[in-house]
Amino acid sequence: MGHDPLRYLDCSATTPMAPAVQAALLRCQAEAWANPSSLHGFGLAAAEELERQRQRLAAMLGCDAGRVVFTSGGTEAIHLALLGTCSGVASGARLVTTAVEHPATLAAAEQRRRAGWQVLQLPVDRRGLVDPDQLRPLLAPPTALVSVIWGQSEVGSLQPLHEIGALCRQAGVPLHVDAVQVVGHRPIQFDCLPVDALSLTAHKLQGPRGIGALLLRDGVTLEPQLGGGGQEGGLRAGTEPVDLVAGLVEAVALSQGRLSQHGGRDPIAPLRDQLLERLLLHPGLELTGVDPRLDSDARLPHHISLLARDPEGRPLPGRQLVHALWRQGFAVSSGSACSSGQQRPSPTLLAMGYGPEEAQAGLRISLGPWHTDTLLEQLPPAIDQVLAAFGF
Ligand SMILES: Cc1ncc(COP(=O)(O)O)c(C=O)c1O
């Protein structure tokens, strides 16, 4: 029971591979396993497959195939963007990010800080959203780069990317966007986005772990962070994992196909909305982040984040709830997976104005395309039962 994917509700952490993705991997492992840099026929077959997949990805995401850099995932793509762009800019420059970034961005920003850059975090409101008006005055020199998490992993907020991008464009400041949580849930046309670099990863959308990409606007120069064999046009060394690339591209194809069949909307959103409606009937649960019933465009469509309290209003530790729900056979998370090994308040909830105890009471439910209405019958009673143990 515990390993039924219908009960896996942690898709913002990672997702199981789709069968078509597994098939793409197997096909490449059989047919294109060689080193794409080798000059013999085996190598040429791998190189052709790699380029075919690169072209296919670029066509689906509306970017130039020559500006796709495959990486080992989101973390590496973010580091490449934050450390590799603006590499000629002297210390004293400024990087503007937000107060709700993923730890990968925090780590890369910290490297910039140690190299003499200033790093500024835009505050967020109670819903986890930045106010573009607060960005405007920060775009003057010495700001050299802006990096924004588009879809926040923990609380699901979608930043107003078009407004942020328009301001950056006006000011001539390059913008990197961490789209790791967004790709697969919204159609992406890189050409039409006011951004200069975009990071994505495969494993959040039923692709394999260990593969991602950085998409770059024409004219953006990039200093490689990994040197060696000159792969990826000299921008990222290391023998390309052609099978993982094929898996990534298949996963993007599946998700973009699903979106285009539903008018560009993620078809999981109605189930998410019904589940949310049902869960919020419980007096011990409140929503964190944007309420999708009020503004569906400002929240990831597969994402619910809650805060649980006991009947006296005291926040309940999210980790205990996660364990209790797992005993009922449901896999959910408390806060972001990367920090859930440690018992500490979520920096995201703190930045949104929650107190330290509340910031340990987060509960995240994130759906995948395979989920069905049966969840509406199964999950709420399980949560009711867990909360009953705390006095409800
Ligand atoms: C918003 C966001 N950015 C970056 C990452 C890192 O991606 P990866 O696990 O592929 O390194 C994650 C994954 O948790 C994420 O949710």
Side-chain angles (χ1 to χ4, degrees):
M1 156 185 101
H3 298 284
D4 176 356
L6 285 172
R7 290 170 167 251
Y8 180 82
L9 305 170
D10 199 10
C11 294
S12 285
T14 198
T15 50
M17 276 194 278
V21 169
Q22 284 174 321
L25 250 82
L26 283 175
R27 185 186 58 76
C28 272
Q29 283 161 3
E31 295 170 7
W33 49 267
N35 189 327
S37 301
S38 297
L39 296 180
H40 44 64
F42 294 100
L44 289 180
E48 278 169 16
E49 179 71 35
L50 180 63
E51 279 324 297
R52 223 182 359 257
Q53 297 294 351
R54 193 189 304 280
Q55 298 280 347
R56 201 174 153 219
L57 185 72
M60 286 188 289
L61 299 183
C63 65
D64 184 343
R67 306 297 283 158
V68 174
V69 184
F70 290 117
T71 65
S72 61
T75 300
E76 189 193 331
I78 289 167
H79 277 73
L80 191 52
L82 265 64
L83 304 175
T85 58
C86 311
S87 54
V89 177
S91 71
R94 184 161 62 199
L95 166 65
V96 179
T97 67
T98 78
V100 292
E101 295 298 324
H102 186 270
T105 297
L106 297 180
E110 175 57 20
Q111 281 197 46
R112 278 295 202 192
R113 200 189 56 76
R114 286 203 299 269
W117 281 44
Q118 292 173 44
V119 178
L120 243 171
Q121 293 187 342
L122 278 174
V124 294
D125 65 14
R126 187 74 170 178
R127 297 166 305 159
L129 295 177
V130 301
D131 175 357
D133 283 341
Q134 292 195 320
L135 173 63
R136 199 187 301 271
L138 300 178
L139 291 173
T143 295
L145 182 63
V146 174
S147 183
V148 169
I149 184 168
W150 189 358
Q152 216 287 332
S153 37
E154 220 177 303
V155 295
S157 5
L158 286 166
Q159 300 299 341
L161 189 66
H162 286 272
E163 279 171 77
I164 291 172
L167 291 175
C168 291
R169 283 270 155 95
Q170 253 170 34
V173 175
L175 171 64
H176 163 254
V177 61
D178 170 358
V180 162
Q181 291 287 342
V182 177
V183 177
H185 298 285
R186 281 173 87 106
I188 302 284
Q189 278 299 307
F190 186 64
D191 290 349
C192 304
L193 291 175
V195 305
D196 301 286
L198 181 147
S199 293
L200 62 94
T201 196
H203 71 97
K204 310 282 186 187
L205 51 139
Q206 295 185 283
R209 274 143 293 275
I211 185 76
L214 181 67
L215 311 184
L216 290 169
R217 179 84 45 223
D218 248 358
V220 174
T221 55
L222 194 68
E223 181 75 19
Q225 300 301 298
L226 297 175
Q231 289 89 348
E232 294 298 288
L235 296 176
R236 195 275 187 183
T239 303
E240 301 92 336
V242 182
D243 54 343
L244 297 181
V245 168
L248 159 68
V249 178
E250 194 59 38
V252 171
L254 286 174
S255 62
Q256 297 288 304
R258 194 161 49 234
L259 290 166
S260 67
Q261 272 170 23
H262 293 86
R265 301 225 157 237
D266 188 336
I268 202 67
L271 176 60
R272 187 277 310 271
D273 291 344
Q274 287 176 60
L275 191 58
L276 177 64
E277 195 88 46
R278 169 65 182 79
L279 294 174
L280 291 181
L281 293 178
H282 198 292
L285 295 176
E286 71 189 58
L287 180 71
T288 57
V290 174
D291 188 334
R293 296 164 303 176
L294 303 177
D295 188 355
S296 64
D297 282 342
R299 186 169 190 117
L300 289 168
H302 63 305
H303 191 288
I304 292 177
S305 54
L306 301 164
L307 211 135
R309 297 181 192 275
D310 71 10
E312 274 74 55
R314 288 182 299 243
L316 298 173
R319 284 166 59 87
Q320 279 185 31
L321 298 175
V322 171
H323 289 308
L325 269 165
W326 180 237
R327 286 194 290 274
Q328 306 268 341
F330 287 101
V332 300
S333 111
S334 69
S336 74
C338 306
S339 57
S340 62
Q342 304 152 32
Q343 180 84 49
R344 61 183 181 94
S346 141
T348 300
L349 289 174
L350 289 176
M352 290 160 67
Y354 289 92
E357 276 192 30
E358 292 173 315
Q360 292 188 36
L363 194 64
R364 181 180 71 184
I365 296 165
S366 42
L367 307 181
W370 60 88
H371 285 118
T372 61
D373 288 359
T374 56
L375 208 52
L376 295 172
E377 289 147 34
Q378 294 175 349
L379 181 66
I383 293 190
D384 290 351
Q385 207 171 323
V386 164
L387 292 177
F390 290 94
F392 275 109

